[in-house]
Amino acid sequence: KVSLLVMPFVIPLALRLSRHSFREELRYFAIANVLHGLLVNLLVLFDGAASSPLKIDHVFYRTAFESIAGIHPTYYGLYICLSLTVLLYDPQMRIWHRYAPAVLQVILLLYLLLLSPKISLMIALLLYAGHFVFVMRIKAVRKLLLLLASLSVMVLSYFTIPFFYQRIHEVARLLSSDPGNAIDNSMVFRKVILQTDLNLLHQSWLTGMGPARLQQNLDMAYLYLSGVSGVPVSSYNTHNEYLNQWICFGMAGLLYFLFIFYIHLKRSMGKSLDGKPDLIYLSCCLMIMISCMTENLFSRQHGVLFAALLLNLFYYEQRVSTSGRSVSADRLNGNK
C-alpha cells in the first residue's frame, strides 16, 4: 500500500517532464483490454475443452479466468468499465473510424457478461444510464429506440450466456422465499460476511482495532462458524472498504477516507476546460467508490495501483487550453 503514499509525490514530477497529456494513451489501454480479453477467453475455452466432463458453470469459468489472467474478476471488471468510459468520452477514439468505439464497447461488454462480476455490471449499467440521460443530445424517438435495443440485447444475453444467467439467478434467489444456503449462493454468504463485519464494528466503532487485530478477529469468527455449522468455511476479509477502514482506524479513519474521495469528486466536477465535469475523471472516482461498497479494493495490489495511479494522474494533470496556458495558471491569475 506504499503506492497510496508515494504516487502523489511522484506523478506531479513525472507529468512536468512531458508536454503531452496522459489521456492520449488511454485509448491504447482500452484496445489492450480488448486484445487481452480475447486471448484469455481463448485460453479458457481451450482449458474447458480439455477438461472431462466439459464444465460450463460460472464458477469454473471465473476460476479458470482468474488463474490464466492472474487478476481477480472484480478488478478486471474495473479495467473494462474504465475502458468503456474512455471509449464513450475520449474524442481521439473517433479519429480512426466513426464506429470503432461502438464495436470495441460491444466486445468489452461481452467480456463483462461472460465474467459477470456483479458490481462491475452495475457500474457499467449506471455509466450507460447516466450517459443516456444526461450526456446524449439526440431526439426522444432515437433515445427510445436505443433503450429498446439495449433491453433486447440484455434479455438475449440472459438466455444465451449461461454464466450471465447463473449470476442473475443467484441475485433473484436472494429475493425469493427460498434463497438457498450460504455455500450454494454467494449472495447469501455476503449476508453472513456483512453480519460478521457489523459485529466487529459494534465492538470498536469509535477508536478502531487496527488491521492486524481485525484479520485475527475475522479468522476466529469464521473458525467458530465452521465449528457451529459443521461445514469448513474459509476466512474472508470484510468485503467492504468503508467498513474495513472504519473497523481498523475508527471514526477518524473513516472520515479521512471519505475526505479523500471528496477531494477527487470536487476536483473532477470542475476540471475540464469549459468548466464542466471531467467525465472520465468523475466516472473513475465513482466506479472506485461503488466498488468499495462490496470489495476490499485496497487489500490487493491491483486495486491499490488502479486507484493510486489513475486518481493522482487525473488530479495533477495540467489541462492545456487553446492559448497554450494551463487551466490552473488561468485560475491563479484570475484570483489575483
Side-chain angles (χ1 to χ4, degrees), residues 313-334:
L313 277 173
F314 283 118
Y315 185 88
Y316 289 107
E317 180 192 23
Q318 298 293 316
R319 302 299 302 279
V320 179
S321 65
T322 54
S323 63
R325 304 176 65 191
S326 69
V327 175
S328 300
D330 290 337
R331 287 177 179 172
L332 286 174
N333 291 332

Side-chain angles (χ1 to χ4, degrees), residues 42-55 60:
L42 287 175
L43 292 175
V44 170
L45 180 63
F46 177 79
D47 191 32
S51 65
S52 181
L54 181 64
K55 299 179 181 179
F60 169 81

Side-chain angles (χ1 to χ4, degrees), residues 59-312:
V59 176
F60 169 81
Y61 177 79
R62 287 165 61 87
T63 303
F65 188 96
E66 183 174 0
S67 175
I68 293 172
I71 181 173
H72 191 274
T74 297
Y75 303 98
Y76 189 77
L78 281 176
Y79 292 172
I80 292 181
C81 289
L82 177 61
S83 300
L84 293 174
T85 305
V86 172
L87 293 170
L88 276 174
Y89 300 124
D90 184 7
Q92 295 291 331
M93 288 301 305
R94 302 192 179 277
I95 292 178
W96 298 341
H97 194 278
R98 180 179 179 183
Y99 298 106
V103 173
L104 296 179
Q105 286 176 58
V106 171
I107 296 174
L108 288 171
L109 284 172
L110 178 60
Y111 296 160
L112 201 59
L113 291 174
L114 285 171
L115 198 57
S116 295
K118 298 185 185 73
I119 192 66
S120 298
L121 278 173
M122 185 182 75
I123 292 172
L125 290 176
L126 290 175
L127 171 66
Y128 279 103
H131 176 76
F132 184 82
V133 175
F134 300 108
V135 179
M136 291 184 68
R137 296 291 183 265
I138 59 176
K139 295 181 179 179
V141 176
R142 289 190 63 189
K143 278 194 175 184
L144 180 59
L145 292 175
L146 282 173
L147 178 61
L148 292 175
S150 301
L151 291 176
S152 300
V153 170
M154 292 298 292
V155 172
L156 181 63
S157 300
Y158 176 80
F159 288 105
T160 57
I161 302 177
F163 312 133
F164 182 52
Y165 162 78
Q166 291 162 7
R167 297 288 281 178
I168 296 298
H169 185 62
E170 281 189 347
V171 180
R173 284 191 64 186
L174 187 66
L175 305 176
S176 67
S177 57
D178 181 24
N181 57 55
I183 304 300
D184 297 331
N185 192 335
S186 62
M187 293 298 294
V188 176
F189 198 80
R190 285 276 183 169
K191 296 173 65 176
V192 176
I193 295 175
L194 178 60
Q195 187 57 53
T196 304
D197 297 342
L198 294 178
N199 291 340
L200 294 178
L201 178 63
H202 181 71
Q203 301 174 18
S204 54
W205 64 273
L206 183 58
T207 59
M209 62 176 63
R213 284 189 58 202
L214 168 59
Q215 194 55 52
Q216 291 173 0
N217 285 322
L218 287 172
D219 294 341
M220 293 175 61
Y222 289 112
L223 180 62
Y224 175 77
L225 180 62
S226 298
V228 172
S229 63
V231 178
V233 178
S234 302
S235 181
Y236 292 85
N237 56 33
T238 56
H239 277 65
N240 185 306
E241 193 62 52
Y242 300 104
L243 286 176
N244 191 79
Q245 298 292 331
W246 195 352
I247 300 173
C248 285
F249 306 111
M251 183 62 71
L254 175 65
L255 293 176
Y256 177 73
F257 185 64
L258 295 175
F259 181 69
I260 293 174
F261 286 126
Y262 167 75
I263 291 175
H264 285 290
L265 286 174
K266 183 178 179 181
R267 178 85 161 178
S268 65
M269 291 299 289
K271 187 82 185 305
S272 63
L273 295 177
D274 55 5
K276 296 180 180 179
D278 184 336
L279 293 178
I280 299 181
Y281 185 12
L282 178 61
S283 298
C284 186
C285 291
L286 292 176
M287 70 175 64
I288 291 174
M289 293 178 66
I290 294 173
S291 297
C292 284
M293 296 173 63
T294 61
E295 299 293 334
N296 278 34
L297 200 64
F298 300 145
S299 292
R300 294 186 184 226
Q301 288 295 332
H302 285 116
V304 173
L305 289 174
F306 183 87
L309 179 64
L310 287 170
L311 291 182
N312 284 293

